[in-house]
Amino acid sequence: MDFTVALAQIKPKLGCLDDNMALAEAAIEKGIAAGADLVVFPELALTGYFLKDLVPEVALRLDSPQIEKLKKLSERISIAIGFVEVSADFRFFNSAVYLEDGEIRHVHRKVYLPTYGLFDEQRYMARGERFRAFDTRFGRIGMLICEDMWHLSAPYILAMDGAMTLICLSSSPGRGVTESEGLGSAAAWQKLTTTTAMFLNCRVFYCNRVGYEDGINFWGGSEAIAPSGEMTDRGALLEEDFVLAKVDGGALRRERIFSPMMRDENLAITVKELKRIDREKDC
Amino acid sequence: MGGLTVNTKLLRQILVGFVRDEVYKVGVRKGVLGLSGGIDSALVAYIAAEALGPENVHAYCMPYRTSNPESEAHARLVAESLGINFKVIEITPMIDAYFNVIPDADNMRRGNKMARERMTILYDHSAAVGGLVLGTSNKTELLLGYGTLHGDMASALNPIGDIYKSQVWALSEAMGVPSEVIEKKPSADLWAGQTDEQELGFTYREADELLYRMVDQRMSREELIAVGFDAAFIDNVARKVQGSHFKRRLPIIAKVSNRTIDRDFRYARDWGK
């Protein structure tokens, strides 16, 4: 099926749920008006990124009015969006929710919470425990949140779980201004998104935010990657943008005929060897 | 040297965006800065003018009676080429009034007092015009502690604090800072003929090459020696960095409660912005 994905490269305000809801709703309406079928937002789109002690204050339950509102909007367009989720036992997660036809189809809780360099996530948030693909009207999808994608096993698991589309919601800080043309962190990500798509013969929709928080810039550059690993659409660097990418549904089928790596992938060997490694690790 | 060479186009875009975004977030449209006639404040003026529009940048040149007249001339040159607001405010009466009472102060105390006097004037004018004070200390100076705490090191936001002096030179050239400002010897202009490099005992280029490897690349002392840095130079610079660390931190607070400001009461400064 051919469809259009919109990558809403927005600039959330730190800790301002209402303002960010308004931003999200505006982008959703824009997507609907433009004929998009799916709109993807960045990581923590409803809250901003360097939340620190704000985490509990901006957290939403899955039955909160905000999520209900997004559910309603998803009757008109499918939505993937990042927010802080609070569980019934008061754990706080860096989560992404996928909404379609008025329902929550999936919630992914970020597994790999970075705590090195400028990152401080696990100090404030609890870790997700699973990677699961889920069914949508665009076929099976897997969601990742930023750092998740840097762990080779994460997209691999999702692909083995049948995902043919990977959605990565991101708040990637710009760093590494060198003599080269682009930004260090952007160049690394571009390598990562295209390589992941190529290895797994999956489409990749990468949505990264923009703006500044305490002087740290988020570089944008959201991307749609074809299952061949070819980048088809890219958002502006360092500026708000709204990327509309037309997805050629047949390209995935053709790619999987040309390069049947996923077909040939041997899950049994992988599981066997991983189990052995795990067993021998403590020896 | 590879690591210190920067893509000035991208750097300019990030720093201009930073000034615009962080100033507007506070709810004001203006920037205030001290123009010394030197390259660092000239570069910040160029960045601010591009970010906020020249009419929203207020620059103040604050000479003391012993200041080199060339400094004021260069500050004026920068202001005129940008079309920003420019005013000269002499600090001689305030400084002399103080040191008439404290006559035995040495050069360092006098220099620090002048730097702090200038910063009080900038903050006063930031309230008067409704703008934020833009910092003009670069990464080299900040790491070496070559600046006055609550003086030139103070600011509401600093666009050049993460770029080394060598990168300041490169970006200034790319942004069109007048060549006479770029080419002159760096000086705090504390007394006639003073230059930073003479006072520090090494050049900024040398310091940058070392600091970049030490701080950014986290090379060990052994690795630094292996790539050709002199051990005494490494130790001298490392001592300066460590010894001035207090200048780069907020004042420490004695902890007695469960949530102490900055230690476990933690919010980004852009909280709600």
Side-chain angles (χ1 to χ4, degrees):
Chain A
M1 154 195 190
D2 292 348
F3 62 99
T4 301
V5 58
L7 307 174
Q9 188 168 301
I10 59 167
K11 183 174 149 186
K13 280 170 80 173
L14 187 61
C16 302
L17 264 178
D18 293 346
D19 297 86
N20 297 329
M21 263 306 282
L23 272 184
E25 284 175 60
I28 288 166
E29 291 299 342
K30 193 170 171 181
I32 293 167
D37 303 286
L38 164 65
V39 57
V40 178
F41 286 91
E43 172 185 19
L44 297 175
L46 293 183
T47 62
Y49 182 73
F50 287 102
L51 293 163
K52 304 187 183 199
D53 279 4
L54 282 172
V55 162
E57 291 168 45
V58 296
L60 298 176
R61 289 161 48 125
L62 287 176
D63 60 2
S64 66
Q66 288 89 344
I67 302 289
E68 287 301 323
K69 199 168 203 177
L70 293 170
K71 258 185 178 173
K72 191 90 189 116
L73 287 163
S74 79
E75 289 169 3
R76 298 159 67 203
I77 187 170
S78 304
I79 302 166
I81 192 164
F83 68 111
V84 180
E85 179 199 354
V86 56
S87 63
D89 59 349
F90 302 110
R91 284 175 300 151
F92 302 92
F93 296 95
N94 181 341
S95 291
V97 63
Y98 185 94
L99 308 125
E100 196 166 274
D101 297 331
E103 285 171 22
I104 293 177
R105 284 293 156 84
H106 189 72
V107 177
H108 171 63
R109 294 169 168 175
K110 189 175 186 177
V111 172
Y112 291 105
L113 301 170
T115 51
Y116 58 87
L118 73 168
F119 302 110
D120 213 7
E121 289 185 37
Q122 189 139 25
R123 179 186 166 91
Y124 302 100
M125 287 188 275
R127 196 167 78 174
E129 298 289 343
R130 59 183 62 94
F131 291 104
R132 297 277 162 84
F134 54 97
D135 290 314
T136 74
R137 61 189 174 117
F138 313 106
R140 231 166 139 71
I141 288 183
M143 286 200 295
L144 299 150
I145 303 175
C146 210
E147 188 84 359
D148 285 339
M149 189 125 172
W150 283 90
H151 292 261
L152 209 49
S153 54
Y156 174 80
I157 291 167
L158 291 172
M160 293 314 290
D161 199 15
M164 294 189 295
T165 303
L166 297 174
I167 297 177
C168 182
L169 300 86
S170 173
S171 287
S172 169
R175 53 207 192 283
V177 178
T178 61
E179 57 193 325
S180 64
E181 191 51 42
L183 198 59
S185 46
W189 265 105
Q190 286 159 8
K191 215 176 277 177
L192 183 63
T193 51
T194 50
T195 309
T196 303
M198 190 175 68
F199 265 136
L200 302 172
N201 301 143
C202 285
R203 305 176 190 105
V204 173
F205 303 143
Y206 173 74
C207 188
N208 188 33
R209 62 163 290 186
V210 290
Y212 292 79
E213 286 182 8
D214 277 20
I216 293 166
N217 70 82
F218 298 92
W219 52 273
S222 303
E223 290 180 327
I225 315 285
S228 59
E230 189 204 347
M231 188 272 291
T232 61
D233 302 87
R234 181 180 287 162
L237 204 66
L238 297 159
E239 287 167 25
E240 286 163 288
D241 205 350
F242 192 78
V243 180
L244 278 175
K246 285 203 184 318
V247 177
D248 170 6
L252 198 135
R253 174 181 155 270
R254 294 193 298 274
E255 192 57 39
R256 289 199 169 196
I257 296 169
F258 285 127
S259 322
M261 274 108 69
M262 282 297 100
R263 180 197 69 192
D264 298 344
E265 183 66 20
N266 193 318
L267 190 58
I269 295 176
T270 308
V271 170
K272 188 179 80 182
E273 293 302 329
L274 288 178
K275 276 189 176 157
R276 176 189 59 79
I277 291 163
D278 192 40
R279 228 176 16 249
E280 291 173 358
K281 230 175 168 180
D282 297 329
C283 301
Chain B
M1 187 41 66
L4 286 168
T5 315
V6 281
N7 173 348
T8 49
K9 187 167 159 259
L10 182 61
L11 188 56
R12 177 180 188 161
Q13 191 187 355
I14 292 175
L15 300 185
V16 166
F18 162 79
V19 169
R20 187 182 298 136
D21 200 273
E22 297 286 3
V23 168
Y24 287 4
K25 241 179 221 175
V26 175
V28 300
R29 317 294 282 183
K30 293 179 177 186
V32 168
L33 78 154
L35 259 193
S36 67
I39 189 168
D40 298 307
S41 58
L43 176 60
V44 173
Y46 269 73
I47 293 168
E50 191 167 317
L52 308 171
E55 69 282 8
N56 290 315
V57 179
H58 293 257
Y60 302 90
C61 178
M62 296 167 282
Y64 180 65
R65 60 180 158 78
T66 58
S67 298
N68 186 344
E70 191 191 68
S71 300
E72 186 182 322
H74 283 160
R76 191 178 297 279
L77 172 68
V78 167
E80 279 169 4
S81 59
L82 284 171
I84 58 178
N85 303 285
F86 182 72
K87 207 169 173 178
V88 178
I89 300 172
E90 278 252 14
I91 60 167
T92 308
M94 322 47 152
I95 295 298
D96 284 353
Y98 181 75
F99 288 112
N100 282 340
V101 187
I102 321 279
D104 57 342
D106 59 16
N107 269 340
M108 189 192 70
R109 286 177 63 188
R110 285 173 190 272
N112 282 337
K113 174 71 180 160
M114 288 179 214
R116 294 193 178 109
E117 188 61 45
R118 293 188 175 108
M119 196 46 72
T120 66
I121 293 169
L122 286 183
Y123 270 93
D124 176 54
H125 281 77
S126 82
V129 304
L132 293 189
V133 174
L134 306 178
T136 58
S137 296
N138 63 56
K139 190 170 185 174
T140 313
E141 289 172 334
L142 288 174
L143 284 171
L144 295 173
Y146 195 64
T148 301
L149 188 58
H150 307 304
D152 52 300
M153 289 178 94
S155 68
L157 42 112
N158 178 352
I160 63 166
D162 200 23
I163 65 175
Y164 288 105
K165 188 79 173 187
S166 321
Q167 297 166 332
V168 166
W169 279 316
L171 185 58
S172 297
E173 219 156 277
M175 291 193 71
V177 173
S179 56
E180 43 272 69
V181 176
I182 299 178
E183 281 155 19
K184 71 176 172 182
K185 283 212 167 301
S187 168
D189 197 10
L190 292 176
W191 59 85
Q194 183 229 354
T195 70
D196 295 356
E197 295 182 335
Q198 200 178 51
E199 204 180 352
L200 285 164
F202 45 78
T203 69
Y204 278 125
R205 296 241 182 238
E206 288 165 337
D208 286 356
E209 293 292 349
L210 176 61
L211 285 168
Y212 176 74
R213 285 172 184 74
M214 197 187 262
V215 175
D216 292 73
Q217 300 195 306
R218 303 188 78 144
M219 283 172 84
S220 68
R221 188 171 181 277
E222 292 69 36
E223 288 170 321
L224 290 167
I225 290 171
V227 296
F229 289 99
D230 176 62
F233 178 48
I234 298 170
D235 295 341
N236 179 21
V237 168
R239 218 172 15 247
K240 280 186 194 296
V241 173
Q242 198 181 340
S244 63
H245 195 60
F246 72 97
K247 293 188 179 185
R248 295 182 291 269
R249 306 291 305 170
L250 285 173
I252 50 169
I253 294 173
K255 181 173 177 66
V256 290
S257 78
N258 283 329
R259 274 186 95 198
T260 307
I261 294 162
D262 210 38
R263 188 156 303 274
D264 30 35
F265 177 82
R266 294 185 171 200
Y267 297 92
R269 207 169 89 150
D270 285 353
W271 183 2
K273 303 262 162 61

